[in-house]
Amino acid sequence: MAVPRVFVSSTCYDLKYIREDLRYFINNMGFESILSEEGDVFYSPNQHTHDACLSEIPNCQIFVLIIGGRYGGSYRKENKSITNMEYNQAVKSKIPVFALVESNVWNDHFVYQKNKKNPEVNAEAIIYPNVDNLKIFEFIDEVRKSESNNALYPFRDFRDIEQYLKKQWAGLLYDFLTNSIETRKVNDLFEEIHRATEKIEYYTKQVASKVGDAYTNVLINCYDIMNEYNVVQDLKVCWKINVTPHAVIKSQTLDDICENKIVATEEDVNSISYGGPPYQCTRIRYDILEEEYAQMRERLVKMLGENSMTDEDFLNAGDA
């Protein structure tokens, strides 16, 4: 059975007993704890140990951050601690972060913040008894000033951590279950709308076939064909080009319907710009659009012929 993997990030030596208690607590919850000192991280021979820890984080579903008074070792490639870089990796991987800070460190941070705003005091010259490096305060600010998932809970002992995580993980489960139910409701609603739309389209075609003339039936068939191709939506949404059956019949190529205002770059990506003219896309995307457009127009012309209607007849009927 798959279970959530919980990565525990903190300095190791000063928070050794907190980490041991966390391991027991996480495993007792039925989750899998990931702690570097317990051999839970695979240290590839081809990686630095710092990078091995970062590589393990995207494989986890929950990230627990404990900030204590010791700054710890610096990450080899950045001017940040290893713990700070692990936090950054969790944020980058969009993993839920549950961050806690020792209450004494939190209090020192409060004093530091107050003195930073006082022009008569050099806040960095003050000795803060519960931290060994002022960069810890920068780390705290980074967490609490994040645009989302920025809760930071002060704790006095492990009991505070345990109670906090129990409540937060219960909330996480409740949020998941509630959103799943709402998602199912929305999906059901879209399914009902889809079925209703199909019925409307069916009855519209039936009415048109009974009371409409040949041109109307052909026009409906044209739109049915065009709805199968992404090129129509790309031209409409991205480049605001009015793609109608008449415009496609008039324009033999993609360049024709775009009035020869396409600029294709040689980038090795499949992308298209918004706006224009000029209309911009990569060469790869241009080739896709061009091929789709040609296939779509060929089917329209063939369908007109099957209904004994020439291109000119169709265009004249639309102008009438």
Side-chain angles (χ1 to χ4, degrees), residues 207-225:
V207 172
S209 64
K210 299 296 183 183
V211 302
D213 54 19
Y215 166 76
T216 303
N217 292 325
V218 167
L219 187 62
I220 292 174
N221 290 334
C222 285
Y223 278 110
D224 279 344
I225 293 173

Side-chain angles (χ1 to χ4, degrees), residues 126-269:
I126 298 175
I127 296 177
Y128 300 92
N130 297 292
V131 300
D132 68 357
N133 194 317
L134 296 183
K135 287 185 177 181
I136 293 175
F137 297 149
E138 296 176 7
F139 187 13
I140 291 173
D141 285 335
E142 181 179 346
V143 175
R144 70 186 186 89
K145 292 181 179 179
S146 177
E147 293 184 359
S148 61
N149 199 187
N150 62 337
L152 187 58
Y153 185 76
F155 70 92
R156 293 163 297 181
D157 53 32
F158 182 74
R159 181 175 175 81
D160 289 342
I161 296 176
E162 183 179 26
Q163 291 179 344
Y164 178 73
L165 291 180
K166 280 183 177 179
K167 291 179 180 178
Q168 290 300 310
W169 291 354
L172 187 66
L173 177 61
Y174 176 83
D175 184 63
F176 169 76
L177 294 175
T178 302
N179 287 337
S180 295
I181 292 172
E182 292 302 319
T183 299
R184 287 197 296 270
K185 289 180 179 178
V186 171
N187 288 338
D188 290 343
L189 177 59
F190 277 128
E191 183 62 29
E192 290 180 12
I193 293 173
H194 178 68
R195 287 196 296 267
T197 302
E198 287 183 332
K199 289 181 180 178
I200 293 172
E201 290 178 352
Y202 172 77
Y203 290 129
T204 300
K205 290 178 182 178
Q206 293 300 311
V207 172
S209 64
K210 299 296 183 183
V211 302
D213 54 19
Y215 166 76
T216 303
N217 292 325
V218 167
L219 187 62
I220 292 174
N221 290 334
C222 285
Y223 278 110
D224 279 344
I225 293 173
M226 291 172 60
N227 284 335
E228 298 177 19
Y229 291 89
N230 292 327
V231 64
V232 175
Q233 292 302 316
D234 285 344
L235 296 181
K236 284 185 175 181
V237 176
C238 298
W239 292 346
K240 308 300 181 185
I241 295 175
N242 187 25
V243 185
T244 65
H246 298 89
V248 174
I249 294 300
K250 285 182 181 178
S251 308
Q252 295 190 13
T253 66
L254 176 69
D255 284 307
D256 289 341
I257 201 169
C258 296
E259 299 179 346
N260 295 310
K261 295 178 180 178
I262 302 176
V263 177
T265 65
E266 295 301 328
E267 294 181 60
D268 189 21
V269 291

Side-chain angles (χ1 to χ4, degrees), residues 12-25:
C12 293
Y13 299 108
D14 57 324
L15 297 171
K16 175 181 178 181
Y17 296 108
I18 291 290
R19 291 174 66 88
E20 288 179 355
D21 288 339
L22 265 173
R23 180 178 181 84
Y24 175 80
F25 166 73

